[in-house]
Amino acid sequence: MEHISMSIEDGIAVITLDRPDKLNAFTTTMENELIEAFDSTDANDAVRAVILTGAGRAFCAGADLSSGAETFSEWSAESNGTDADGDDLRRDGGGRVVLRMFDSLKPIIAAINGPAVGVGITMTLAADFRLAADDARMGFVFNRRGLVPESCSSWLLPKLVPLQRALDWIYSGRIFTATEAFSAGLVYRLHSREDLLGEATALAHSLTRDSAPVSVALSRQMIWRMLGVEHPMVAHRVESIGINARGAQADVREGVAAFLEKREAVFPDRCSDAMPDLFSSRLPRPRW
C-alpha cells in the first residue's frame, strides 16, 4: 500500500488514509487501495469490524488538486470503465470506494480525526457510524469548486440528515463544525482527538463481540439495501428468506442453546463459507 495503511488487532481492522503531508488528499492510488483493503477485510474471517481514519492532523482534505486548474479536465478525459448503462466514461473514484463500502460484510466506523471535506466527508457516508474529533471541520464543498456532489452522496446524505440541512450544506458548500454535524445526526458521537481511535475501537467491539459474524454481515446488507426499495414487502421477503436460511444453520442452534444454558455463545459459521444469498435474484448488487 502506498497511500493507505492497514493494521488488524483483536478482530478490528484499522484502515488509515496515509498521506499526512498532503492532509491525506484523495488520489486514484488511494481509491484503488481502499477497494483492495475492503476486499481484504471481507475475505478475512478474523476481522469483525473496520475503522477508517486518517494519519496526522486531517482525515482527508478532499481530492488531490496538485494538477491545478486542469485537475478535472484531465480527469474527465480519461475512461476507467463503463457505467451501469454501458456508457464509456471516467467513473467517480469516490463513488467506486463508497459502492465497495456499501457492500462490506463487516461494520464500518469512520473515525474523523480532523478536517474532512469533499470526498473526505462523502466517503464516510457509507460507514455505519461516524465518530468525530470535537474540533473537526467538514464541508461538502463541490458547488464552490464548480462541481457537483459525488461518492453517491446525493443518494446517501438525505437519508442521514434532514433534507433541508443536506441542501444547505450542498448548495452553500460551506465548512461546518463537528458540533453542527452531530446536532444534525451526521455524526454519531464526538470525542477528543486523543480519545477518538480508542472510542472507535470500543464501539467496534461492542457491536460485534456477542453477535454471530454471518448474522451481522447479513443484517448490515439488509438494512443498507432496504433504504431504496419501494415497499416493505421487499423487506418482508428478504427477511423471510433470511430467517429460513439462518434457521437451518449451526449458528442458530448454538445461539439458542447458549441462551437456555446461560452461557456465552461460540458461533461456528463464518462469512467465508456460510453466507446465504438473500439478494441476488431480488436486488441489484453494487458495482465498483
Side-chain angles (χ1 to χ4, degrees), residues 69-123:
E70 299 304 315
T71 296
F72 290 97
S73 298
E74 297 171 359
W75 186 90
S76 300
E78 303 172 354
S79 171
N80 65 349
T82 57
D83 68 5
D85 296 321
D87 294 326
D88 188 39
L89 79 172
R90 179 66 163 85
R91 290 179 58 201
D92 164 37
R96 292 184 67 236
V97 171
V98 161
L99 288 172
R100 182 61 190 87
M101 294 171 67
F102 181 95
D103 211 34
S104 173
L105 301 179
K106 316 297 170 71
I108 302 169
I109 300 168
I112 303 171
N113 57 297
V117 299
V119 66
I121 187 62
T122 56
M123 78 166 75

Side-chain angles (χ1 to χ4, degrees), residues 169-189:
W169 288 343
I170 292 291
Y171 291 171
S172 70
R174 65 183 176 86
I175 303 297
F176 53 92
T177 65
T179 301
E180 182 177 340
F182 174 73
S183 297
L186 181 64
V187 167
Y188 183 59
R189 291 177 187 164

Side-chain angles (χ1 to χ4, degrees), residues 30-263:
M30 183 180 288
E31 165 195 338
N32 292 325
E33 290 180 353
L34 283 168
I35 291 171
E36 181 181 346
F38 283 107
D39 286 345
S40 174
T41 55
D42 268 3
N44 187 345
D45 285 329
V47 172
R48 297 298 315 277
V50 180
I51 296 171
L52 179 65
T53 194
R57 67 183 183 88
F59 178 77
C60 175
D64 189 323
L65 301 178
S66 58
S67 295
E70 299 304 315
T71 296
F72 290 97
S73 298
E74 297 171 359
W75 186 90
S76 300
E78 303 172 354
S79 171
N80 65 349
T82 57
D83 68 5
D85 296 321
D87 294 326
D88 188 39
L89 79 172
R90 179 66 163 85
R91 290 179 58 201
D92 164 37
R96 292 184 67 236
V97 171
V98 161
L99 288 172
R100 182 61 190 87
M101 294 171 67
F102 181 95
D103 211 34
S104 173
L105 301 179
K106 316 297 170 71
I108 302 169
I109 300 168
I112 303 171
N113 57 297
V117 299
V119 66
I121 187 62
T122 56
M123 78 166 75
T124 74
L125 301 183
D128 300 275
F129 298 89
R130 280 158 297 284
L131 309 186
D134 50 19
D135 61 351
R137 293 170 69 81
M138 306 165 194
F140 298 88
V141 298
F142 310 103
N143 287 183
R144 293 195 178 194
R145 306 292 181 266
L147 292 168
V148 295
E150 44 69 84
S151 297
C152 308
S153 57
S154 58
W155 190 84
L156 285 164
L157 185 60
K159 292 175 171 61
L160 297 170
V161 302
L163 178 60
Q164 292 177 103
R165 184 57 59 92
L167 295 176
D168 169 7
W169 288 343
I170 292 291
Y171 291 171
S172 70
R174 65 183 176 86
I175 303 297
F176 53 92
T177 65
T179 301
E180 182 177 340
F182 174 73
S183 297
L186 181 64
V187 167
Y188 183 59
R189 291 177 187 164
L190 298 178
H191 299 284
S192 70
R193 189 182 295 252
E194 294 76 18
D195 293 339
L196 181 64
L197 191 56
E199 293 290 347
T201 302
L203 175 60
H205 284 302
S206 74
L207 297 172
T208 59
R209 181 177 49 240
D210 300 317
S211 299
V214 172
S215 294
V216 171
L218 290 171
S219 297
R220 183 181 196 276
Q221 290 293 290
M222 291 164 73
I223 294 294
W224 278 97
R225 296 191 187 197
M226 292 304 110
L227 289 177
V229 300
E230 71 282 0
H231 194 280
M233 179 57 75
V234 180
H236 172 62
R237 286 185 56 79
V238 169
E239 290 164 2
S240 297
I241 294 164
I243 290 292
N244 278 274
R246 287 299 278 152
Q249 292 184 298
D251 274 353
V252 174
R253 292 191 292 275
E254 168 61 11
V256 172
F259 172 74
L260 295 175
E261 296 165 12
K262 297 180 171 57
R263 59 174 175 81

